[in-house]
Amino acid sequence: MSYIDGFVVAVPTDKREIYKTHAAKAADVFKENGALRVVEAWGDDVPEGKLTSFPMAVKREANETVVFSWIEWPNKAARDQGMEKAMSDPRLSPDKAPMPFDGKRMIYGGFATLLDV
């Protein structure tokens, strides 16, 4: 079964198009290195929680929107190899492609598929 890298970030709302351009360039690099699919979802109905929530988790500020993203890989071995190559690709280096959000507040992780229907 496939392997998923998931991400949640808070992006300044006025930087939506900059983020979209940045994400599209990164998606090209991931796909060149084995990713099957890259999805970027701009928050539309992301409520503030009382105990936990996406906004709380990324310390979203009033001028930011939560973005939920994932990369689908064929398997974990392909992900490990592809991610290593992608992260060393100069097109993704901070000086060439600065992130249009605060990367210190990004939540991310790798997930083995449990169910896919």
Side-chain angles (χ1 to χ4, degrees), residues 84-117:
E84 183 178 341
K85 288 179 183 177
M87 290 296 102
S88 66
D89 190 300
R91 294 173 289 176
L92 296 184
S93 68
D95 58 320
K96 296 229 189 235
M99 293 186 295
F101 58 88
D102 181 359
K104 290 178 260 172
R105 292 186 285 142
M106 178 171 58
I107 298 170
Y108 59 92
F111 301 84
T113 301
L114 181 64
L115 179 66
D116 186 355
V117 292

Side-chain angles (χ1 to χ4, degrees), residues 26-102:
D28 287 343
V29 174
F30 290 123
K31 291 194 80 178
E32 286 173 19
N33 288 289
L36 300 174
R37 183 176 179 208
V38 177
V39 177
E40 297 283 345
W42 190 261
D44 179 58
D45 184 14
V46 186
E48 188 75 41
K50 292 184 183 188
L51 191 58
T52 65
S53 68
F54 283 119
M56 291 167 73
V58 294
K59 298 184 180 186
R60 183 193 59 150
E61 297 175 5
N63 66 335
E64 295 177 322
T65 299
V66 174
V67 175
F68 177 58
S69 312
W70 68 91
I71 304 170
E72 181 180 357
W73 302 91
N75 52 53
K76 188 172 188 307
R79 177 268 199 168
D80 290 348
Q81 183 178 23
M83 189 60 82
E84 183 178 341
K85 288 179 183 177
M87 290 296 102
S88 66
D89 190 300
R91 294 173 289 176
L92 296 184
S93 68
D95 58 320
K96 296 229 189 235
M99 293 186 295
F101 58 88
D102 181 359

